[in-house]
Amino acid sequence: MTERYELNKNLAQMLKGGVIMDVVNAKEAEIAQKAGAVAVMALERVPSDIRKMGGVARMSDPKMIKEIQSAVSIPVMAKVRIGHFVEAQVLESLSIDYIDESEVLTPADEDFHIDKHTFKVPFVCGAKNLGEALRRIGEGASMIRTKGEAGTGNVVEAVRHMRTVTGEIRKVQSASRQELMTIAKEFGAPYDLVLYIHENGRLPVINFAAGGIATPSDAALMMQLGCDGVFVGSGIFKSSDPEKRARAIVKATTYFDDASIIAEVSEELGTAMDSIDVRELSGNSLYASRGW
Amino acid sequence: MHQGAGSMKRIGVLGLQGAVQEHLDMLRQIGEIEACMVKYKADVENIDGLIIPGGESTAIGRLLSDFDLTVPLKARIENGMPVWGTCAGMILLARNISNDERRHLEVMDIEVMRNGYGRQLDSFKTTVDIPAVSAQKVPLVFIRAPYVVDISPQVEVLLSLDGHIVACRQKNMLATSFHPELTGDLSFHKYFADMI
């Protein structure tokens, strides 16, 4: 384990209990920081707009990313397409704080994810289950986010993926040591990481929930299900009162086990983003099915 | 209340955001200490000392003021309760911040440069001698760390690194740019426990 990898996992630890918000310009980034975001994700279009507009979604314009970097003091993250290691090289050259190798953008490689060990900057990657999380960690991701279904405003997939990961962790933990290699084979996960789960009962990196969180209760739900923090994409800036909703989601994430505070912050938030029933999505419009 | 149950020191960790659990885990490895999370006004009255963990100072500062914790915490610190800020905690304690208009607890006579060391690519680890804190060398982890650029005469410098103050103390207040809670080395936690 290299020192750089440890430092990169450490940065994720500093984000714990916090909310990472998608922003498309410096002004939104400032609103997010003021509301108490622990980091911002700089991108050209939030996932719900990527859905509407279709076509190929790519890494953002470096100029926009630089503007956001100079507008806020909190960490700035940005997305690259799955497998697009040159987009990652570009972001590293901008001294980005975290790269999200994201299924929300159109994959550039349908067979291989980026070899993240070759980078100094940290990566966060999406996962639907434990095997996928451990494969990404094996490739060098220093933070995981359960995928959910981005741009839907529907928390159902986030819940499914979080429950899947925690259920599978319990399974590995309670298995006998003799069973671990077969589990590694079934999960398609590196043996040493399966052994780590068996011995520690948790992922070796921080895990945030993502994909469909639209309300303070959604954020608190994911926290009570055991994630370390939340990503909110379209949920904030596609709602009717982004500033108020951002502050409310931050508070609900911190006081996730206090229903009276969640009730209080949920009052008069206006309307949430336009939402989609995930069952109406199929094929390529299910972003969570991208990556492997 | 203070020094309540027997001789057990009750140390709180501000539990709004950041590396909260890491500090609690470290404290629980030291004997004779009860470690607890501080999230509500009532918690502030039930501790003998407080650690403000690393995290994002803007986020923690926002929550401190939204949940009316700034005033009671400030009062207890000004009345002598030992407090230790790591990284974001250092920023929250500082009376001045060179590159930010926000102020938080404003109790310690230090001026701090936020993200003084730069972005994540500039995060680093090193090992140093700090005789005041430990007889052994101490590992230090800096994550997008701040440093102190100015102090009043009341502040004692515990460690400077390449010309920047990264650990200092003013009576009951301790501030470090780095994160002892990420290293497994208990020296600084013991040092702080001895301040109580």
Side-chain angles (χ1 to χ4, degrees), chain A residues 187-284:
Chain A
F187 283 1
Y191 177 80
D192 60 327
L193 292 175
V194 172
L195 181 61
Y196 180 93
I197 301 286
H198 177 68
E199 288 174 346
N200 296 280
R202 59 179 176 82
L203 289 173
V205 302
I206 294 305
N207 176 33
F208 272 44
I213 295 162
T215 68
S217 297
D218 287 350
L221 173 66
M222 297 317 298
M223 292 298 287
Q224 287 198 27
L225 285 173
C227 68
D228 296 306
V230 298
F231 281 92
V232 185
S234 325
I236 289 171
F237 288 99
K238 287 289 166 185
S239 71
S240 62
D241 189 345
E243 200 167 335
K244 191 167 182 191
R245 187 167 292 261
R247 287 183 65 172
I249 291 177
V250 167
K251 290 177 186 172
T253 303
T254 292
Y255 292 91
F256 65 87
D257 52 1
D258 188 328
S260 61
I261 289 179
I262 300 167
E264 190 188 314
V265 302
S266 299
E267 279 183 21
E268 296 183 285
L269 287 182
T271 50
M273 62 180 285
D274 290 340
S275 305
I276 299 172
D277 187 338
V278 178
R279 287 169 298 186
E280 287 162 12
L281 298 174
S282 62
N284 197 39

Side-chain angles (χ1 to χ4, degrees), chain A:
Chain A
M1 193 101 51
T2 67
E3 190 170 294
R4 177 53 51 184
Y5 184 62
E6 281 299 315
L7 291 166
N8 287 342
K9 287 203 297 182
N10 288 159
L11 175 57
Q13 285 172 277
M14 293 306 132
L15 305 175
K16 281 199 305 179
V19 183
I20 300 169
M21 302 181 191
D22 278 4
V23 297
V24 300
N25 55 47
K27 188 168 164 270
E28 286 187 359
E30 282 169 31
I31 292 172
Q33 174 170 272
K34 200 163 164 243
V38 290
V40 288
M41 178 73 70
L43 71 179
E44 263 166 9
R45 286 178 280 161
V46 294
S48 65
D49 284 337
I50 292 175
R51 281 189 187 282
K52 275 185 203 143
M53 294 167 83
V56 174
R58 310 179 178 86
M59 178 190 77
S60 298
D61 182 340
K63 182 163 187 285
M64 181 272 270
I65 293 171
K66 285 197 262 183
E67 283 167 5
I68 289 174
Q69 283 176 317
S70 55
V72 295
S73 59
I74 55 179
V76 177
M77 303 181 164
K79 290 183 193 289
V80 300
R81 286 177 269 179
I82 290 172
H84 205 314
F85 52 85
V86 172
E87 285 186 346
Q89 290 163 5
V90 170
L91 290 185
E92 184 170 63
S93 80
L94 300 178
S95 297
I96 201 84
D97 292 302
Y98 242 97
I99 294 176
D100 184 2
E101 187 183 18
S102 177
E103 70 282 0
V104 170
L105 305 185
T106 312
D109 190 325
E110 296 194 328
D111 295 308
F112 304 106
H113 282 252
I114 296 172
D115 174 13
K116 293 164 274 286
H117 291 295
T118 60
F119 290 82
K120 285 175 76 180
V121 287
F123 280 76
V124 55
C125 290
K128 300 182 295 296
N129 52 52
L130 183 59
E132 195 174 4
L134 297 184
R135 287 193 290 281
R136 297 295 84 78
I137 296 166
E139 290 160 357
S142 43
M143 177 176 178
I144 291 295
R145 58 177 170 74
T146 43
K147 286 178 174 175
E149 191 56 36
T152 61
N154 186 338
V155 81
V156 65
E157 294 299 302
V159 168
R160 190 192 317 282
H161 299 155
M162 192 64 209
R163 282 201 184 277
T164 302
V165 169
T166 49
E168 288 173 342
I169 287 174
R170 277 198 301 275
K171 183 187 166 190
V172 173
Q173 203 181 6
S174 61
S176 78
R177 189 146 172 161
Q178 292 96 311
E179 295 168 328
L180 296 184
M181 186 57 86
T182 300
I183 289 176
K185 179 187 161 212
E186 283 169 3
F187 283 1
Y191 177 80
D192 60 327
L193 292 175
V194 172
L195 181 61
Y196 180 93
I197 301 286
H198 177 68
E199 288 174 346
N200 296 280
R202 59 179 176 82
L203 289 173
V205 302
I206 294 305
N207 176 33
F208 272 44
I213 295 162
T215 68
S217 297
D218 287 350
L221 173 66
M222 297 317 298
M223 292 298 287
Q224 287 198 27
L225 285 173
C227 68
D228 296 306
V230 298
F231 281 92
V232 185
S234 325
I236 289 171
F237 288 99
K238 287 289 166 185
S239 71
S240 62
D241 189 345
E243 200 167 335
K244 191 167 182 191
R245 187 167 292 261
R247 287 183 65 172
I249 291 177
V250 167
K251 290 177 186 172
T253 303
T254 292
Y255 292 91
F256 65 87
D257 52 1
D258 188 328
S260 61
I261 289 179
I262 300 167
E264 190 188 314
V265 302
S266 299
E267 279 183 21
E268 296 183 285
L269 287 182
T271 50
M273 62 180 285
D274 290 340
S275 305
I276 299 172
D277 187 338
V278 178
R279 287 169 298 186
E280 287 162 12
L281 298 174
S282 62
N284 197 39
S285 55
L286 275 172
Y287 295 159
S289 63
R290 297 167 168 178
W292 36 93

